[in-house]
Amino acid sequence: MRSYNLFRLKGVDGLCCAVPEASTVPPFIGAGRWTFGGKLDGQSRQPLDFDDRAADTAVRFNGFYLFQTVDRRFLT
């Protein structure tokens, strides 16, 4: 698994954006509506709803992976 920086959208429970650690953070993240939610890597527990294959595909096309989680550890 590659390493990601995880961001959570304020006011929308469970909406997350995973950005590969070596990539540039998309401009919409810096608009003040997102908070840093930690790092995801082989050492940390990822959200229950995180799909590695979907993340790889999304990153290849978009540079980031948006997903919704119900994992309480990642809710705002």
Side-chain angles (χ1 to χ4, degrees):
M1 177 183 159
R2 83 173 74 192
S3 296
Y4 294 92
N5 288 317
L6 184 70
F7 300 90
R8 298 180 303 197
L9 183 61
K10 296 176 186 175
V12 179
D13 281 347
L15 187 58
C16 298
C17 181
V19 180
E21 204 168 40
S23 297
T24 302
V25 175
F28 67 86
I29 296 292
R33 295 198 58 212
W34 294 79
T35 61
F36 181 70
K39 294 192 179 289
L40 300 178
D41 55 26
Q43 305 298 326
S44 61
R45 288 181 40 198
Q46 62 189 19
L48 301 172
D49 318 88
F50 190 88
D51 183 333
D52 289 322
R53 285 183 48 201
D56 285 340
T57 301
V59 165
R60 188 170 65 238
F61 290 103
N62 303 319
F64 57 88
Y65 171 51
L66 286 175
F67 67 100
Q68 187 88 24
T69 185
V70 294
D71 190 330
R72 291 187 181 275
R73 294 172 299 139
F74 298 91
L75 297 178
T76 55

